[in-house]
Amino acid sequence: MTGYEPRWYREELHRTELSPFVVRFRETDLWVAVPPEKDTPALRRLCQVTAATLWQELHDYILTDPRFYHSLVPYLPRFGCPPVAARMAAAAEKAGVGPMAAVAGAFAEEIALVLARRFSLTDIIVENGGDIYLASTVPRRIAVWAGNSPLSGKIALDIAPDLSPLGICTSSATVGPSLSLGKADAVTILARDTATADAFATAVGNQVRTAADIESALVFAAEQPDILGCLIIIGDHLGAIGRIRLAPLADSVPINTAKKGCRPC
């Protein structure tokens, strides 16, 4: 697996009462935030081991089944594939894209669930290249980064606790290394499953080449039972459906600005 970029946005201030830390293994580079009393060496070690294990299992599987990595359409993995590969493939099947479109979201949620189970966490954020798994007992505000769009860094998503746990994933044709066949500056999807949110962000993003495509792409998103909300930004145009609640960022300092997508604030 390739495509790592330095997470330059993590030099910004993280505005959260949670305790954040970074975990890296090969191309996997995570920003994790947990309650301060839960931020222990044991939790960080488990996070590191889980990230490394997921990466190694998927890497080893791809060596035996390279079509899984290269396919841009749904692909059935081989029997005995690692669970994360099966989860990626299932999410991709729903969205009509290749399995690797779901990798960041799948990793974020798998790691978050392992930590939540082991350390009884009710609040946790795991961000993987702008794709977020969020479990929260309090309202959260997620700022939206959309490259050179004049709306970039100016708006945020208000996430109510009743939406938690939630996947918040973004595809961009203008920011970051991820493949998009469209031209959108940001397509952000809310879904209960983070791998599914990731896959649909790619699927919807592929449909947006001009501002005129926003309406039809939103219609497509609204027809998908797995999508809770969809936000599309291209240039100075914006459209949203579902449980998207937008708020201005006012003059707050951007934090955790993802190479594509969203950041907790």
Side-chain angles (χ1 to χ4, degrees):
M1 294 183 291
T2 60
Y4 172 77
E5 285 193 348
R7 305 315 198 228
W8 50 267
Y9 52 87
R10 290 179 182 153
E11 296 177 3
E12 302 286 350
L13 175 66
H14 294 282
R15 291 184 176 176
T16 175
E17 84 288 359
L18 300 176
S19 178
F21 60 93
V22 173
V23 167
R24 298 185 177 95
F25 183 80
R26 303 292 181 90
E27 292 90 346
T28 300
D29 190 328
L30 308 167
W31 182 86
V32 182
V34 298
E37 68 275 12
K38 300 286 189 176
D39 184 9
T40 63
L43 182 144
R44 294 193 181 200
R45 282 195 300 272
L46 180 59
C47 189
Q48 179 75 46
V49 169
T50 304
T53 300
L54 286 173
W55 186 96
Q56 195 64 58
E57 288 178 348
L58 185 59
H59 177 267
D60 291 347
Y61 175 69
I62 287 170
L63 291 178
T64 69
D65 189 7
R67 288 183 61 192
F68 181 91
Y69 180 84
H70 293 290
S71 180
L72 299 181
V73 296
Y75 178 75
L76 183 65
R78 295 175 179 174
F79 179 78
C81 71
V84 71
R87 186 169 189 173
M88 290 163 57
E93 175 70 28
K94 295 177 183 179
V97 295
M100 291 302 293
V103 63
F107 271 44
E109 181 158 340
E110 291 282 349
I111 291 165
L113 292 178
V114 168
L115 296 179
R117 286 192 295 262
R118 174 64 178 80
F119 293 96
S120 302
L121 302 176
T122 55
D123 290 79
I124 183 171
I125 304 171
V126 177
E127 174 263 309
N128 187 9
D131 295 320
I132 295 170
Y133 173 87
L134 169 70
S136 181
T137 58
V138 299
R140 298 286 175 187
R141 178 162 287 182
I142 306 295
V144 179
W145 181 259
N148 293 326
S149 165
L151 299 172
S152 186
K154 303 292 180 59
I155 59 175
L157 306 176
D158 277 343
I159 306 297
D162 69 326
L163 271 176
S164 175
L166 184 68
I168 308 167
C169 295
T170 301
S171 175
S172 174
T174 60
V175 186
S178 299
L179 176 65
S180 175
L181 303 180
K183 297 293 184 182
D185 291 298
V187 172
T188 298
I189 298 292
L190 309 184
R192 293 294 183 194
D193 178 77
T194 315
T196 299
D198 201 1
F200 270 112
T202 296
V204 176
N206 287 345
Q207 300 179 31
V208 181
R209 300 188 65 83
T210 71
D213 298 321
I214 292 177
E215 184 174 356
S216 61
L218 290 176
V219 169
F220 168 80
E223 293 173 344
Q224 310 306 314
D226 292 290
I227 292 180
L228 298 177
C230 174
L231 170 67
I232 300 173
I233 297 174
I234 182 167
D236 59 356
H237 295 270
L238 175 153
I241 56 96
R243 299 193 65 178
I244 297 288
R245 298 292 178 266
L246 296 177
L249 274 183
D251 55 359
S252 59
V253 178
I255 65 91
N256 194 26
T257 309
K259 62 179 171 58
K260 54 153 182 100
C262 299
R263 57 189 188 270
C265 37

